[in-house]
Amino acid sequence: MSRLLLLVPGYLMMHGAWRVVGRPSPWPTRFLAAAARACGVRASLVGEPLRQDVMVVANHLSWLDILILGGTCGCAFVSKAELEGVPVIGWLATLNRTIFIRRDERRAVPAQIAAIQAGMAAGPVAIFPEGTTGDGVTLLPFKPALFGALDPPSPGARLQPVFLDYGNLAAEVAWGEEGGAANARRVLGRVGTIAVRVHCLKPIDPVAAGGRKAIAATARERIEEALGTRTQAQQG
């Protein structure tokens, strides 16, 4: 953890300098990439990530996913509102354009959808539609609510499924039922690197896919296919 904290001051200074002169800051993305490397992650891109007017949807195994997706694809994230109040982490999340939502407030849904659409206009916005972390072997059902930002979509908006492939380390890295602090200590304390392939899959046209439930189903099928292909390759 100390390695991560040591990164913060320098990147904050550079981010602030970019903001002062009114330029879009690349430093949150660079910080997340550096933080991933400090945690032992060695991420490689497979395919081309979209950079504008795109919702990124990915499988979810670990808190490392945020560092990896943010560092490789430049994603902002949709997160539960409680994270905003977490010391340091919540503040850092705001610097990366995080969109905080309250899932239990139905009346706030239209405003949340508008916030996600506005975020997509500024750059990629990522969601984890499983709603929790999985085991890296199976893919949980996708919750369709946040796909409402694509139903109907803003002009030119697309959806890009992304498969985070931890290979044989998936079960070791997966959060599962383990407490957050215990998982962080275990992952950060392990010996060796964590190789992750970030598979940027073929984009989906939300208009052609249909409503939010159909969009969610299509995205899940794409990631499940990639997961199945990886599993077959390992067994072969």
Side-chain angles (χ1 to χ4, degrees):
M1 186 61 71
S2 60
R3 289 175 294 176
L4 296 179
L5 295 177
L6 288 173
L7 293 172
V8 173
Y11 281 87
L12 279 178
M13 289 178 60
M14 297 304 298
H15 175 67
W18 250 248
R19 295 294 299 272
V20 165
V21 297
R23 295 177 59 187
S25 173
W27 293 101
T29 295
R30 293 177 182 178
F31 169 76
L32 291 172
R37 288 188 63 84
C39 292
V41 172
R42 300 297 180 264
S44 58
L45 273 173
V46 181
E48 187 69 27
L50 301 180
R51 301 291 186 180
Q52 195 73 29
D53 295 319
V54 58
M55 175 184 285
V56 172
V57 52
N59 58 313
H60 195 19
L61 278 79
S62 167
W63 51 273
L64 292 172
D65 301 344
I66 294 171
L67 306 182
I68 294 164
L69 268 180
T72 58
C73 300
C75 293
F77 295 88
V78 177
S79 176
K80 58 184 181 181
E82 291 81 359
L83 180 67
E84 190 173 13
V86 176
V88 183
I89 293 176
W91 176 61
L92 289 173
T94 62
L95 299 182
N96 193 49
R97 303 188 295 115
T98 298
I99 301 165
F100 298 102
I101 63 170
R102 296 191 179 276
R103 298 174 183 173
D104 57 343
E105 293 186 4
R106 292 184 176 274
R107 289 179 296 180
V109 170
Q112 292 170 358
I113 287 175
I116 294 171
Q117 290 176 333
M120 290 167 58
V125 173
I127 64 171
F128 298 111
E130 293 171 280
T132 186
T133 52
D135 59 8
V137 178
T138 56
L139 197 61
L140 299 173
F142 279 12
K143 301 179 184 299
L146 293 179
F147 290 95
L150 297 173
D151 183 22
S154 301
R158 288 173 291 173
L159 176 71
Q160 184 163 43
V162 170
F163 172 45
L164 297 175
D165 182 6
Y166 287 83
N168 293 326
L169 293 176
E172 183 178 344
V173 172
W175 198 329
E177 300 298 324
E178 191 175 21
N183 179 268
R185 286 194 297 269
R186 181 172 60 79
V187 172
L188 292 174
R190 68 181 301 280
V191 177
T193 58
I194 302 171
V196 182
R197 289 190 175 188
V198 182
H199 295 265
C200 299
L201 306 176
K202 182 180 178 181
I204 296 168
D205 178 358
V207 175
R212 59 188 177 90
K213 291 184 179 180
I215 296 168
T218 302
R220 188 179 185 279
E221 287 172 4
R222 295 273 177 91
I223 297 175
E224 190 170 42
E225 180 181 359
L227 175 60
T229 301
R230 191 280 306 275
T231 302
Q232 290 173 8
Q234 287 179 328
Q235 293 174 344

